[in-house]
Amino acid sequence: MSPNSGPLSGVLIADFSRILAGPYATMLLADLGADVVKVEGPAGDDTRSWMPPVRDGVSTYYLGINRGKRSIALDLRDEADARVARELARRADVLIENFKPGGLGKYGLDFEAVREGNPGIVYASISGFGSGAGRDVPGYDLMVQAISGLMSLTGDPDGPPYRAGISVFDVMAGNHAVIGILAALRHREATGQGQHVEVNLLSSALTGLVNHSSAYAAGGTVPYRMGNAHPSVFPYEPLPTADNDLIVAAGNDAQFVKLCQVLGIPEIAEDERFARNADRTANREELRPILVDRLKHRGAVEWFDLLVAAGVPCGPINTIDGGFAMAERFELDPVVTVGGIPTTRHPIRFSRTPVSYRLPPPELDEHGAEIRKWLEEEGA
C-alpha cells in the first residue's frame, strides 16, 4: 500500500464502525495520515441511505464523515469474508468498532481474539452505555441526550425539553475515541503493548455537561433549562437589536465595562446593582431592558463589529450558510474539495505535519479487490 503523509503516516486502522461516532473519529485520523480501511456489510454503512439531502444521489450525511478512507464490503457471517476481516485485524495498528459490546466475538474479532494474533493492537470500542450492566441497551445519540439530562437543560423554561440540533454526544464520543487511540499509540510506542480503549456515549455526555455536571456532583444542585440564559453569568444570551438577535457574552467585569462604554451607558457599569457578575446575575431582570433599549438603535452585524473591536464577545445568530460565511471572513477556509466533493476542513492545523485530504468518501466496496489482494500477499 502506498505511504501517506501526515503525523499518523504508517498507522493502519481497521474501521469496523458505522453511523457517526466511529466514522467521524476515523475520518479525523485519516486526515492526519492514517490508512483507514472502512469495513462495511454488504448493504453498506447505514448513513449511505440517510437522505435527503443528497449530492449526485449520495447522502450528504455519509459524505460528511467518510473522506480519506478505502471501503471493503465483507459479510462477516461468511467464513471466507470473516477470514479476510481477521487478517486485516492482524495487520492493523488500530481496530475501531461500535458493535454491541461483545458482538464481534462470534466472528473471532473481539479484543481478546485479535490480541492473540496481534499483541500490539490498539482496540477501540464505542458503545452507548459501556460493556457492563448497560451492554444490552442500544446506543443512539438521542437516547443519550434524554438519559444524560441534556434535554432537561435545552429549551424554553416553560416549554418541553429539546434535543440538540446535532448528534452532539456521537461527535463528542468520536473525539474521545481519537484521544484514547492516540494516547494508546503513544503507550505502545513506549512499551510495545497494545490495549483495549473503551468509550461510551453516556460517559462522554456526563463529562461534556461540564458545569452542569459539576453543579450536581460537587454542589448537589440539579440544574434545569433556562432557555438561552446562563445560570451563572449575565449578560450571556441573545438580546434583540434593530433587526436580529445578537449573542452577548460579557463573561467578566472588564468586558461588561467595555460593553457599557460601546453602548453609551458607562454609568451602568458603576451601578452597584451591576458592578460585579454576581450582582448582574442576581439583577438580570433589571439590567436586560437597559441593554435592550440601547441595542435597538443598530443592527446585529453592526453591533458585532463595534463590540468585537472593543473586546466584547458577541455574535449574530446565523443559519449554517452564515456560519460558513463568517469562517470565510476570518480566513479559516472552512471548505475543502476532495475528489470533487466539498467537505468541511479538518479543525486542527499543524505547522510541520499538515493534514491531507487524499481520498473522497468511498463508494461501497470501491477498494475491495485491491485490499483483498494486498491482504493475501502480505498474509502469505
Side-chain angles (χ1 to χ4, degrees):
M1 298 212 172
S2 58
N4 300 326
S5 61
L8 293 183
S9 177
V11 174
L12 174 62
I13 298 179
D15 182 7
F16 286 82
S17 69
R18 62 263 203 233
I19 313 293
L20 178 51
Y24 180 70
T26 54
M27 182 183 72
L28 297 181
L29 294 167
D31 291 344
L32 299 180
D35 181 7
V36 177
V37 176
K38 181 177 178 66
V39 179
E40 304 184 68
D45 190 312
D46 288 3
T47 59
R48 289 182 181 275
S49 64
W50 286 10
M51 55 182 75
V54 299
R55 179 184 177 88
D56 298 330
V58 182
S59 161
T60 59
Y61 198 123
Y62 170 80
L63 294 177
I65 51 176
N66 282 289
R67 67 170 175 243
K69 309 173 188 180
R70 295 179 298 153
S71 170
I72 181 172
L74 297 174
D75 184 349
L76 297 180
R77 296 166 297 183
D78 179 87
E79 180 54 28
D81 277 5
R83 281 197 301 270
V84 173
R86 288 193 292 268
E87 178 61 19
L88 176 61
R90 188 184 71 82
R91 302 284 305 170
D93 297 289
V94 176
L95 186 151
I96 181 169
E97 58 90 14
N98 60 353
F99 281 67
K100 176 182 173 181
L104 284 176
K106 56 189 171 184
Y107 308 116
L109 288 165
D110 57 300
F111 172 59
E112 294 299 336
V114 172
R115 182 175 64 172
E116 208 171 295
N118 185 356
I121 189 72
V122 171
Y123 190 108
S125 297
I126 303 174
S127 65
F129 302 96
S131 57
R135 61 185 294 122
D136 293 325
V137 182
Y140 284 83
D141 182 273
L142 181 57
M143 293 170 57
V144 179
Q145 290 197 33
I147 290 171
S148 67
L150 174 67
M151 290 180 64
S152 76
L153 301 169
T154 308
D156 187 86
D158 299 320
Y162 278 95
R163 66 180 287 267
I166 64 164
S167 296
V168 60
F169 296 137
D170 268 328
V171 174
M172 194 175 293
N175 278 312
H176 288 159
V178 170
I179 294 168
I181 287 167
L182 296 179
L185 286 172
R186 175 66 184 90
H187 174 77
R188 189 183 73 175
E189 179 184 336
T191 68
Q193 300 171 343
Q195 62 181 300
H196 194 185
V197 176
E198 295 187 74
V199 175
N200 71 80
L201 270 65
L202 183 56
S203 292
S204 287
L206 294 180
T207 189
L209 290 175
V210 287
N211 57 303
H212 295 298
S213 292
S214 183
Y216 172 70
T221 298
V222 177
Y224 290 97
R225 57 189 173 276
M226 299 176 62
N228 288 313
H230 193 288
S232 308
V233 182
F234 186 85
Y236 198 94
E237 61 185 58
L239 296 172
T241 71
D243 48 21
N244 300 312
D245 283 0
L246 178 76
I247 292 292
V248 179
N252 59 49
D253 296 343
Q255 290 172 349
F256 182 67
V257 169
K258 293 175 182 177
L259 171 66
C260 291
Q261 289 172 343
V262 174
L263 295 182
I265 47 174
E267 69 280 2
I268 295 300
E270 299 174 2
D271 189 311
E272 63 180 11
R273 296 173 297 168
F274 313 129
R276 298 176 303 170
N277 175 68
D279 302 320
R280 294 190 294 277
T281 302
N283 298 303
R284 67 175 75 207
E285 297 307 321
E286 297 176 59
L287 178 55
R288 183 183 289 106
I290 297 173
L291 300 177
V292 169
D293 182 64
R294 299 303 301 172
L295 288 166
K296 70 182 182 183
H297 295 289
R298 300 178 189 268
V301 173
E302 189 176 1
W303 279 124
F304 170 75
D305 290 331
L306 291 169
L307 289 169
V308 167
V312 180
C314 66
I317 301 176
N318 293 322
T319 50
I320 295 292
D321 56 332
F324 275 84
M326 193 69 82
E328 290 282 4
R329 170 180 169 177
F330 297 149
E331 300 178 342
L332 297 178
D333 303 323
V335 176
V336 293
T337 299
V338 187
I341 305 295
T343 184
T344 308
R345 180 177 295 278
H346 189 96
I348 303 172
R349 297 189 184 226
F350 296 83
S351 63
R352 291 189 178 274
T353 55
V355 302
S356 58
Y357 309 96
R358 300 176 305 279
L359 296 170
E363 297 179 10
L364 178 61
D365 202 39
E366 179 178 346
H367 308 92
E370 71 177 60
I371 294 169
R372 288 172 184 269
K373 181 180 179 181
W374 173 75
L375 291 172
E376 290 170 1
E377 292 172 352
E378 294 292 336

